Every structure is written in structure tokens, then in C-alpha cells.
Amino acid sequence: GSRVAGVVIEDRGGRPVITAHAVESFPEGALVPALATLNVRERAVVSGALGRVLDRLGRPARVGLVLADPVAKVSLVRLQQVPEKAADLDQIIRWQVRKSAPFSIDDAQVAFVPGARAADGQDFIVTLARRDVIAEYEALCDGFGAQAGVVDLSTFNVINAVSAGGSVPGGDWLLVNVAPGWESIAIMRGSDLIFFRSHGADGEGTLADVVHQTAMYYEDRLGGAGFGRVLLCGASDSGDAAGLRRALAERLSTVVEPIDASRAAGFADRIGATPELLDALTPLVGLLLRSREAA
């Protein structure tokens, strides 16, 4: 919640290459990612940082937006029968998530994609956010003539970056995505999300505790046979990335690897590709590469 980052990716000889990037920090509290309240507290400060990033990217007319995970609520919904009509499916999904929404479903922007198939039905990954909160972010971009085409969450796009880098394991794997003020944990079965949890800084327990609880749940309730890989993104902001990796490795009794976005997209200029920069750009790379595949 205390920085804006941007990246431009171009095709060079059939390979995606990062040709421009920028990261701008702003004072804590100017933007507070949250589900049930408006996020932008100091518009001029946030807008100034965004403007400087867009200037360094050549003032694009169209952008994809990656938002902090606490901006939305992620649920996994299993339907035993999936209706054929898109409108009916939308209605059923909204009905399923409305009880757990901390605001009226009428004020919500709801998006969903199919997840894993199960013996007793089809999973859907449902993302729910307040429409006026998403509009805040879109309006910031509009102020610079940049239209936000795709809006998505950080952790989903870290997963996309891993996928684009060709390193998705066939079995189960765990992703931990950390940022100032929040952290999220995703369990993947191949390319399917089977568990998601986001944890605010004011939540109980350390990240290592939450990861340990998640691993226990995975074994007890998700038929877990062990993680083929454990990946960590965002730790360089914590001030002790190595210590955090060690703490997680001890809890999980396995190696914890950092994610390297340069496996998915090369750098036109490799100089300065610090761990901090790679962590900041990873979800952005994931969004752009996913959008290119969909185009």
C-alpha cells in the first residue's frame, strides 16, 4: 500500500522483454488497501506517485491494474451442477457469496473463473470487491488519460508469472506472497488453485504460524501429500528475506525458493534488477503475460 510500480513488456525475437519499469514510494497511510472502506486517503500524494510512474513508462493510454489482495475477498465455490447460461451461473455465484460479503452484494463487483474439477462438482474462484473501491483506482488512472482495461489481484498474477516462466510443478505447491501490511497464501494443484487465504498485518500469529496452520489444513482436509515446491514473493521488502525464508523452511521442512520474474520476461537492461525490483514487478509481469496470451 505504499508504492506504485509499473512495467512495459515488448516482444523481442519472440521473447517477452521488460523495456521500461518504474517504482515510486509514497508515505504510509496515503493509500490503505481494504475490502469494506474506501482506499485512497490522500489522493494528491497517490496521484503524484502514479503520474511519475506513468511518465517513465511513456504515458500509456491503456494499462492493466494489479491491486493489493486485501482490496477483494477471494472464495472457492463448488457447484454440483453448472448451468449452461452465463447469466444463470452469475446469479448462482452471487447467491453463494452474498452471505459472506461484508457489504451488500448489490454494491459488489463479482468476477469468477473455473477452478479445479472435483468428483462432486466444479470449483469456481470468486473475487468480490466493492464497486466504488475499484472505481477509485480506475479514476486515478483516468486522471492521466490511462484507461484501466484489466483489474486483478497481486497473488493471482504472481501465480501467472510462475506459470509464464514455465516452472509450474505437476503436483501440489505452495505460494506465499508478502507485502507491507498483508500476506497471502495460495495452494496450487498443478495449475489449479485449491486454497487461498489473505492475512492482514493486524491478524493473529506470525506468517510462519499461518503457513504452518495452512499446511496442517492441507494435510487434513485437502488430501495433501506434500508440496513439490514452496515459492516466496515479496520478502525483499521485509528487511530480512533470508530470515523469513528460513523460518518458513523450518515450519514446512522443505526448501523455500524466491520467485524470479526474469524467467518469464527478460530485462532489456539487466543492471539494477535487484531482488526488491523483481519482487515489485513480478505480479505486473504476470498480468501482462496473461493478457497477451488471452489476446
Side-chain angles (χ1 to χ4, degrees):
S2 54
R3 73 178 176 213
V4 181
V7 68
V8 174
I9 290 181
E10 293 177 11
D11 252 328
R12 292 205 173 163
R15 171 152 167 71
V17 173
I18 295 166
T19 54
H21 56 78
V23 182
E24 286 282 337
S25 297
F26 49 80
E28 200 124 341
L31 175 73
V32 180
L35 181 64
T37 57
L38 291 175
N39 290 196
V40 181
R41 307 286 172 86
E42 296 178 45
R43 188 183 169 89
V45 172
V46 179
S47 182
L50 175 62
R52 291 190 295 275
V53 166
L54 291 172
D55 280 344
R56 284 165 59 193
L57 302 182
R59 279 298 179 104
R62 193 168 168 80
V63 295
L65 273 183
V66 177
L67 305 182
D69 290 357
V71 169
K73 178 178 171 61
V74 175
S75 310
L76 272 79
V77 171
R78 181 165 297 173
L79 299 183
Q80 290 176 330
Q81 289 186 308
V82 179
E84 287 178 22
K85 286 186 182 171
D88 293 344
L89 177 58
D90 185 74
Q91 205 170 2
I92 287 173
I93 295 278
R94 282 175 166 268
W95 176 259
Q96 291 273 357
V97 297
R98 75 186 166 81
K99 287 183 208 154
S100 62
F103 44 82
S104 167
I105 197 75
D106 295 333
D107 300 326
Q109 201 156 310
V110 180
F112 54 89
V113 293
R117 276 215 55 88
D120 59 343
Q122 168 72 54
D123 284 347
F124 288 88
I125 300 149
V126 185
T127 310
L128 175 138
R130 245 174 63 170
R131 200 176 288 114
D132 56 351
V133 168
I134 302 302
E136 282 188 292
Y137 289 94
E138 293 172 334
L140 283 167
C141 296
D142 286 343
F144 295 97
Q147 186 194 357
V150 183
V151 181
D152 205 353
L153 296 183
S154 173
T155 297
F156 290 167
N157 288 291
V158 173
I159 292 167
N160 288 334
V162 174
S163 176
S167 54
V168 172
D172 295 351
W173 53 288
L174 178 77
L175 168 68
V176 181
N177 186 25
V178 300
W182 59 270
E183 56 238 4
S184 293
I185 300 163
I187 299 177
M188 305 291 296
R189 187 152 281 165
S191 54
D192 288 323
L193 179 73
I194 61 167
F195 175 92
F196 183 91
R197 177 178 179 181
S198 202
H199 176 254
D202 52 357
E204 286 183 24
T206 65
L207 174 59
D209 292 336
V210 176
V211 168
H212 182 69
Q213 290 161 14
T214 301
M216 295 294 99
Y217 179 86
Y218 162 74
E219 287 176 18
D220 295 344
R221 303 288 298 278
L222 298 176
F227 299 121
R229 292 179 78 189
V230 178
L231 302 176
L232 175 65
C233 183
S236 57
D237 265 348
S238 69
D240 183 15
L244 182 53
R245 275 212 304 277
R246 265 200 313 276
L248 295 180
E250 280 172 20
R251 286 298 181 101
L252 296 167
S253 305
T254 189
V255 175
V256 176
E257 307 167 54
I259 293 171
D260 182 358
S262 64
R263 289 184 66 164
F267 275 79
D269 177 7
R270 187 67 209 186
I271 300 163
T274 60
E276 290 79 10
L277 180 64
L278 287 169
D279 274 346
L281 299 187
T282 293
L284 310 183
V285 168
L287 181 77
L288 287 179
L289 293 182
R290 186 203 76 176
S291 301
R292 285 149 59 100
E293 280 173 20

